[in-house]
Amino acid sequence: MFMMKLLVLLLFSVFITGCRGNSSYSLTPKLLLVSFDGFRADYLQKYEFPHLQNFIKEGVLVENVKNVFITKTFPNHYSIVTGLYEESHGIVANSMYDAVTKKHFSDSNDKDPFWWNEAVPIWVTNQLQENRTSAAAMWPGTDVPIHNTTPSYFMNYNSSVSFAERLNNITLWLSNSNPPVTFATLYWEEPDASGHKYGPEDKENMRTVLKEIDKHIGDLVHKLKMLGLWENLNVIITSDHGMTQCSKDRLINLDRCIDHSDYTLIDLTPVAAILPKRNRTEVYNKLKICSPQMTVYLKEDIPARFYYQHNDRIQPIILVAEEGWTIVLNKSLSKCDHGYDNSLPSMHPFLAAHGPAFHKGYKHSTINSVDIYPMMCHILGLKPRPNNGTFGNTKCLLVDQWCINLLEAIGIVISALLVLTTLTCLIIIMKNRLSVPHPFSRLQLQDDDDDPLIG
Ligand SMILES: *[C@@H]1O[C@H](CO)[C@@H](O)[C@H](O)[C@H]1NC(C)=O
Ligand SMILES: *[C@@H]1O[C@H](CO)[C@@H](O)[C@H](O)[C@H]1NC(C)=O
Ligand SMILES: [Zn+2]
């Protein structure tokens, strides 16, 4: 096995060296990035997905993708397409407030480029390349002129547009445009909406919606095949985050601890963003003793592992609820949610991919959602902008990368040593054979040896 790998490595490097200089790719690589919102990683084990499993059988699966904190939709979708943590791309919540400009951001008021311009998403970088365009079917931010650029083809966000229409239009754009669409995105609101409504443990209702999603994936593959796009297109199917089971009696009521007039509530649950009106310490002290199921952080004390501190849009105090708990005001309703600590497995989505750039039938345990961006740039041949992802984490998924783990590396070193030792031994044996006394050769040798001495 190790010997095989070694041999393959040798042949591969010979091949690569031999090919350099030739234009080995005649086709411009193309990529379609699909997100099914709130597709928790373990749905794949707990429910049946015949179409998605077929897709994976001929492609790759990453069972667990570690998303970024806070585990919300807009921030996580922006991390996938920028490779940046939230503090670095600036979309730090679904609800934000900027104290300097007094601007507000929410999922229904998201079109001001001000919020998005702290980063450059991959569809903008792709648009700036000669002879390439991007297309989008409702991925968050794609209907906003970020750095004065939208995808050449996009839809204004409208949740009532059906999956079929989004799919029809995005595949049409992928097949019929000039210059060609080389990067496209497709976004769908489920299973997030049903997860919020029923909770991820409601088997019956979740089975219904997940079956529908699998059908959408079947339709997607079918459509790409019909249009002759399937063979050359790289398709990534992933999601922004997971979902946590809720319970009506796991509520943290802020109104029991602090008066409304003391603070402005920028975002509520399960990570609340608090802007104190007067005395920050006083507000902090009241909240700190509010509930044992809620951690209260002053901005400067937010743990480094969240990468959630260095941005003006992160408020002076944040409250983080324990998994499954909901922060409420007296009047607010509770429903199941996501947003929690991103180290919780229930928050993680998955990733599946298929196409000429990817291996066939390969399973990988985990990557970070910020690693997806450098991988996509590699596939498209784009120079990645500075980001927080690690390309090396995705190398095993890609056919043009050499990927070995530590054990294999040790194996290869040992086999290389064995090969060298064997060769050395062979050479020594051969030499000994040659110098074995032989009547004629001896005579000749003696002749040769003696001549100079005599001369
Ligand atoms: C999809 O394409 C059709 C036909 O070109 C167009 O009429 C429709 O408005 C498009 N849908 C969206 C949501 O852009
Ligand atoms: C993330 O990447 C950005 C851009 O390179 C950089 O400014 C920032 O410091 C990085 N964050 C971390 C935690 O390394
Ligand atoms: Zn959601």
Side-chain angles (χ1 to χ4, degrees), residues 138 154-155 161 165 169 172-173:
M138 302 198 188
F154 71 94
M155 299 170 187
V161 175
E165 185 170 346
N169 291 27
L172 209 65
W173 288 329

Coordinates of all heavy atoms in Angstrom, one line a residue, residues 138 154-155 161 165 169 172-173, ligand 1:
M138 N -30.3 34.1 -4.6 CA -30.8 34.4 -3.3 C -29.8 34.1 -2.1 O -30.2 34.2 -1.0 CB -32.1 33.9 -3.0 CG -33.1 34.3 -4.0 SD -34.8 34.2 -3.5 CE -35.7 34.6 -5.0
F154 N -28.7 38.0 -10.9 CA -29.1 37.7 -9.5 C -30.6 37.9 -9.4 O -31.2 38.5 -10.3 CB -28.3 38.6 -8.5 CG -28.7 40.0 -8.6 CD1 -29.6 40.6 -7.7 CD2 -28.0 40.9 -9.5 CE1 -29.9 41.9 -7.7 CE2 -28.4 42.3 -9.5 CZ -29.3 42.8 -8.6
M155 N -31.1 37.5 -8.3 CA -32.5 37.7 -7.9 C -32.6 38.5 -6.7 O -31.8 38.3 -5.8 CB -33.2 36.4 -7.6 CG -33.2 35.4 -8.8 SD -33.8 33.8 -8.2 CE -33.5 32.8 -9.6
V161 N -40.4 32.9 -3.8 CA -40.0 32.2 -5.0 C -39.7 30.8 -4.8 O -38.9 30.5 -3.9 CB -38.8 33.0 -5.7 CG1 -38.3 32.3 -6.9 CG2 -39.2 34.4 -6.0
E165 N -38.2 27.5 -9.4 CA -37.9 28.7 -10.2 C -36.4 29.2 -9.9 O -35.7 29.5 -10.9 CB -38.8 29.9 -9.8 CG -38.6 31.1 -10.7 CD -39.7 32.2 -10.5 OE1 -40.8 31.8 -9.9 OE2 -39.5 33.3 -10.9
N169 N -33.7 29.2 -13.1 CA -33.0 30.4 -13.5 C -31.5 30.3 -13.4 O -30.8 30.7 -14.2 CB -33.6 31.6 -12.8 CG -35.0 31.9 -13.3 OD1 -35.8 31.0 -13.7 ND2 -35.4 33.2 -13.2
L172 N -30.2 28.0 -16.0 CA -30.2 28.6 -17.3 C -29.0 29.6 -17.5 O -28.3 29.6 -18.5 CB -31.5 29.4 -17.4 CG -32.1 29.6 -18.9 CD1 -32.5 28.2 -19.4 CD2 -33.3 30.5 -18.8
W173 N -28.8 30.4 -16.4 CA -27.7 31.3 -16.4 C -26.3 30.5 -16.6 O -25.4 31.0 -17.3 CB -27.6 32.1 -15.1 CG -28.7 33.2 -15.1 CD1 -29.3 33.8 -16.2 CD2 -29.4 33.7 -13.9 NE1 -30.2 34.7 -15.7 CE2 -30.3 34.6 -14.4 CE3 -29.3 33.4 -12.6 CZ2 -31.1 35.3 -13.5 CZ3 -30.1 34.1 -11.7 CH2 -31.0 35.0 -12.1
Ligands
LIG1 C1 -36.7 33.5 -13.7 O1 -36.7 33.6 -15.2 C2 -37.9 33.9 -15.7 C3 -37.8 33.8 -17.2 O2 -36.7 34.6 -17.7 C4 -38.3 35.4 -15.3 O3 -39.5 35.8 -15.8 C5 -38.4 35.4 -13.8 O4 -38.6 36.7 -13.3 C6 -37.1 34.8 -13.1 N1 -37.3 34.7 -11.7 C7 -36.6 35.4 -10.8 C8 -37.0 35.2 -9.4 O5 -35.8 36.2 -11.1

